[in-house]
Amino acid sequence: MTTAPQWSGEMLDRPEMVQAFSAQLRQVLASHADYVARIRRDAEAMWDENPPEGYSTFEAWWRAKWVKGPLADIQEHLEKAAALTFRLEARYRKGRHEIPARRLAAKQAKELPQGQQAPVLGSGQFGRRTQPGPASGAAAGQDGAADGFLDMIRKDHSA
């Protein structure tokens, strides 16, 4: 029996993990938005073509508004949430890697004696957090396909 890995903040410590997490979350949110859009489309078409008997024009409009409105709002929120995953990824990369690397490089440039040069970013001399990810930006598996967030976590826990 295998147990699912438990959540810890260290799982989102590498840029490729955050990128995989964001992509997977974006895909799930987009699929839910598509699902709601299909239900909304069918509900609106059904209501427009088959309004219940006995309703006045105003009452039919009012009830349709109460059905159509929330579905439209839910779909809009899901689409906005999917778009926000790009902001999540960019803020993480900038806040956890780019800005600290620039600060460290500026600090080291101030501390170096005359004639010495600061190590190049990505040279491995800054530690694991600032090492660049794969060239494509996506976490690539051995077969070249992008690994999902949970696949990467499972690999980390099995190693």
Side-chain angles (χ1 to χ4, degrees):
M1 180 172 140
T2 60
T3 59
Q6 296 298 316
W7 166 255
S8 72
E10 297 167 357
M11 291 179 179
L12 295 178
D13 219 20
R14 297 189 323 252
E16 62 270 11
M17 291 290 275
V18 172
Q19 187 175 16
F21 172 73
S22 296
Q24 209 163 17
L25 181 59
R26 196 169 24 256
Q27 183 180 16
V28 169
L29 289 169
S31 70
H32 286 304
D34 291 342
Y35 176 69
V36 171
R38 283 192 312 271
I39 291 173
R40 178 180 167 205
R41 182 191 64 227
D42 294 346
E44 288 177 0
M46 179 195 71
W47 189 270
D48 290 342
E49 294 301 321
N50 301 308
E53 291 182 26
Y55 282 178
S56 68
T57 306
F58 174 77
E59 190 175 11
W61 169 82
W62 183 256
R63 290 183 183 260
K65 178 182 174 190
W66 281 98
V67 171
K68 295 177 185 178
L71 287 173
D73 291 343
I74 291 169
Q75 180 183 354
E76 183 181 329
H77 289 307
L78 286 169
E79 290 168 352
K80 186 175 181 179
L84 285 173
T85 60
F86 289 105
R87 186 186 301 174
L88 166 80
E89 188 177 337
R91 281 186 176 176
Y92 171 84
R93 184 182 60 252
K94 187 175 183 181
R96 291 286 302 261
H97 297 282
E98 293 172 4
I99 292 173
R102 276 187 268 157
R103 286 183 181 158
L104 183 59
K107 182 180 175 182
Q108 288 182 343
K110 289 179 184 177
E111 295 175 355
L112 289 177
Q114 294 292 351
Q116 285 188 348
Q117 192 174 6
V120 178
L121 285 177
S123 64
Q125 298 176 4
F126 286 101
R128 183 172 154 206
R129 289 186 178 187
T130 57
Q131 291 176 349
S136 68
Q142 293 177 356
D143 59 352
D147 285 339
F149 175 67
L150 295 176
D151 296 330
M152 295 174 81
I153 291 172
R154 286 184 192 104
K155 284 182 187 176
D156 283 353
H157 281 283
S158 66

